[in-house]
Amino acid sequence: MPRQFPRLSVSEVDEQVRLLAEKVFAKVLREEDSKDAFSLFTVPEDCPIGQKEAKERELEKELAEQNSAETVKRKKSFKMIRSQSLSLQIPSLDWKAPAVTPILSPVSPVPPPPATIRGPGPSVQEAYDVPEFQRMTISGDYCAGITLDDYEQAANGLSKALLIREKYSRLAYHRFPRTTSQYLCTMNDESWKMEDEVFPELNPPPDKDTYELENVPANLNYVVKLRGGIPHIYDNNEKAEKHEPRSFPYPDLETYTLDLSHILALITDGPTKTYCHRRLNFLQSKFKLHEMLNEMSELKELKSVPHRDFYNVRKVDTHIHAAACMNQKHLLRFIKHSYRTEPDKVVTEKNGKKMTLKELFESLYMDPYDLTVDSLDVHAGRQTFHRFDKFNAKYNPVGASELRDLYLKTDNYIDGEYFARIVKEVAGELEESKYQYSEPRLSIYGRSSKEWDVLAKWFIKHRVYSPHMRFMIQVPRIFDIFRTKKILPDFGKMLENIFLPLFEATINPSDHKELYLFMNYVTGFDSVDDESKHNDHMFSNKSPAPEEWTQEQNPPYSYYLFYMYANVMLLNNLRK
């Protein structure tokens, strides 16, 4: 039985948290309205820097609290917790290396040999020795320089945030850190088990033809309908009419908004911010001390590892668009080569007239022979910092949108042939280097349900697959533009165009062979837009449903993310 989405009632949650979240949102809007060009360089009047009297009052309060009988009692309990946590970290004399199941990845199909783990007792010799690093133990007050009340408040808030994160990761079959999960289990007096860990479904490189379209699974003929922006899966049309969906953990909007309120309240909590700031400084100082004490041991270990240095250790670029996966010299070289070898090839149609590559450049009054890296102007330098408009303009070679449509788009007159060739050239360079991988983004805008079919056919037709590449789908948050131009009637239609084709291809793969095959090499979704823009609407369970969002104003970031998460979570459960 699939796990059901845990639902919370308002009576179980402190209503003050929701009110605090609303105050935080209102404060951000007020600050945004009063911000001027010099606000980044000014110091607010209530800044604690230099406020000596406030510091003295805080110190007196802390000293008085430390001397109270209740504080002494709680310190003893914290020391017991500290000793228990240390006993979990420091192995005993009869300690032995645990048998841990290796996690296989598509990059390394064969697990590496286990290392030697050396504790206070006898070492276990396996493959190579872990060097004997010098270590430092810090004893004394466990609260690390803050009051016990503040420490308890910060610990409770952070642990609740981690539990919320674990809940949503597990429901969507996303991997959650094992160490964190083990410690969270101890809070509820539970024991962590290996079978509780969630692993994502990974598709290894195919043994046969990647583009084989015949051996796809049979259709299941389920029925999918979007209700309130969330897909519901039914066995047949009869159950769809009765609204009897299959058993999946359908998300609950009220629970999600309550969890969001807790996070908003946490990020403005003073004790939590103080504790996190001190903790980060402590960890940074601890690492610098480790470097000072063990630099030579680290260097010795580095030299003892055979056939591994910076150039032949595996590296993955996980944040780049496919239209920017090549460097500017590569793009320039490809433009010149295509013009030199295929000047008479028909590449576009303008006002009903077909144009060759040569005629296209003549209409732009430019000769590719005269182009340079500087005139191409596709490099995002310092002038694009905090300027999203200039950043987007860098995707137009020589500032010409016609060249972007021709060389960097999948849907054009030549069916994205040039774009596919450039991506395959980059993939060839990655394969030649052997140790470099990439996860480029491909855009789906949600303005039409046919976008997925066009993208999948581009992938199959031009054979873009590479064992050194996986793809992510980038969804720009530009509903307001589509609504202003009357392209979409409501936000629900945008969600339907983005996600419904994926559910249909999963349920009936024989009817959507190209998309079914392409989905095996898509790893996730990315939501992108100008993060500096603020929205006046605070997302809550009283917000309009997607099919009711017909205004030209863009929904807030949190609104986008809830409905994207809900669709991805249900899609993963369905594919599982």
Side-chain angles (χ1 to χ4, degrees), residues 402-454:
E402 294 87 350
L403 296 183
R404 178 181 184 177
D405 293 338
L406 175 61
Y407 288 103
L408 303 176
K409 291 285 187 180
T410 58
D411 185 15
N412 53 29
Y413 186 85
I414 58 175
D415 297 328
E417 178 188 343
Y418 284 164
F419 186 39
R421 281 165 56 180
I422 296 176
V423 173
K424 289 168 67 176
E425 287 179 5
V426 173
E429 294 174 357
L430 296 177
E431 295 171 21
E432 186 178 352
S433 68
K434 188 179 178 180
Y435 298 103
Q436 296 183 34
Y437 298 80
S438 179
E439 193 180 46
R441 268 80 168 146
L442 295 169
S443 292
I444 290 291
Y445 298 94
R447 61 190 167 199
S448 170
S449 59
K450 301 297 182 182
E451 292 180 40
W452 278 107
D453 290 331
V454 171

Side-chain angles (χ1 to χ4, degrees), residues 111-127:
T116 297
I117 304 177
R118 181 172 296 177
S123 63
V124 183
Q125 183 68 29
E126 295 271 351

